[in-house]
Amino acid sequence: MSESKLAGQFFDAAIGLLQRVREEEAGAISAAAAAVADAVAGGNRLFAFGAGHSSLPAQDVVYRAGGLALMNFLAVPGTAGVDVMPATLGSALERVDGLAGAVLDSSPATAGDVLVVISLSGRNALPVEMAVNARALGLTVIGVTSVAYARETRSRHASGTFLKDHCDIVLDSKIAVGDAELSLDGIDAPFAPASTVVTSAIMQAVMAAAAGELAARGIEPPLLRSGNVDGGHEWNGRVMQQYGDRIFFRH
């Protein structure tokens, strides 16, 4: 099979997943957007969390041109991104009990805020405890996960539960267990993961719908502009000043 045909198959798989999410998760995406809009309108704050590769869709909506300025990345040291050394440390930390509580207790998150917890499998201690602790603090928790893992794998949390069991709103990414869309004779392992593409699209869809919801309420969405267009830095400076008490990635 040619390399170009495999590339095309990956695009087809990703597009198919995006279509499923668009059709099957429309109600949940609208609910998540309304929750985000409620927090913005109510003077509350927005946070996103993900560990390992699940941190990438979370980071994708933080300090992003065209995105909501109030979205803050809730970082857990050693788990964000792929520059952790050794690389296996991030996966190990996802299984550590108590880490999520320590991070939340030292964060600015408080009752009335929204936290998006992103975890493909939703089975490790860190995302489960993050959701549990956030709800105990009075936050609205939106989970972005693959519900298939809850059907086909076992939880690694002591409770035996998954992320989806502790969320106010669940967005199902539809990713199959294993997160690999392609296989080929002569290659022993499945390959071509699509979770980042799909989950990032879910996050951007929620942010877009939230901006529309705010506009429908007569509220100007606190959006950032690109710094690479004329006037962008000045626009962003005004937004940062106006909402500075709700933006925690600024100095």
Side-chain angles (χ1 to χ4, degrees), residues 89-103:
L89 175 61
S91 296
L93 289 174
E94 286 190 66
R95 306 182 190 185
V96 173
D97 294 333
L99 184 56
V103 169

Side-chain angles (χ1 to χ4, degrees), residues 99-204:
L99 184 56
V103 169
L104 275 171
D105 288 345
S106 60
S107 80
T110 189
D113 294 345
V114 167
L115 171 62
V116 183
V117 179
I118 303 171
S119 174
L120 176 61
S121 73
R123 67 191 297 227
N124 289 311
L126 184 55
V128 172
E129 291 185 357
M130 189 68 75
V132 169
N133 282 273
R135 290 181 87 187
L137 289 173
L139 278 75
T140 297
V141 177
I142 300 168
V144 186
T145 187
S146 169
V147 173
Y149 277 83
R151 294 192 300 264
E152 301 175 32
T153 71
R154 296 180 64 183
S155 171
R156 292 184 175 133
H157 188 254
S159 67
T161 60
F162 288 76
L163 169 61
K164 74 173 187 64
D165 300 316
H166 304 284
C167 299
D168 298 287
I169 302 165
V170 176
L171 303 175
D172 183 5
S173 64
K174 315 296 181 182
I175 301 295
V177 173
D179 191 18
E181 295 300 319
L182 302 181
S183 60
L184 184 68
D185 290 342
I187 300 179
D188 291 338
F191 55 99
S195 60
T196 304
V197 172
V198 175
T199 305
S200 290
I202 290 172
M203 294 296 292
Q204 293 297 347

Side-chain angles (χ1 to χ4, degrees), residues 35-101:
V36 169
D38 286 344
V40 173
N44 297 105
R45 291 80 59 84
L46 308 173
F47 298 90
F49 163 76
H53 285 91
S54 288
S55 74
L56 301 179
Q59 294 179 62
D60 192 44
V61 293
V62 175
Y63 191 53
R64 184 63 189 262
L68 293 173
L70 305 191
M71 182 59 76
N72 300 278
F73 185 62
L74 187 64
V76 176
T79 69
V82 293
D83 59 347
V84 177
M85 296 294 288
T88 51
L89 175 61
S91 296
L93 289 174
E94 286 190 66
R95 306 182 190 185
V96 173
D97 294 333
L99 184 56

Side-chain angles (χ1 to χ4, degrees), residues 12-51:
D12 288 342
I15 291 168
L17 286 164
L18 289 169
Q19 289 279 18
R20 281 193 63 198
V21 169
R22 180 180 183 178
E23 295 167 4
E24 298 173 19
E25 297 301 301
I29 288 172
S30 293
V36 169
D38 286 344
V40 173
N44 297 105
R45 291 80 59 84
L46 308 173
F47 298 90
F49 163 76

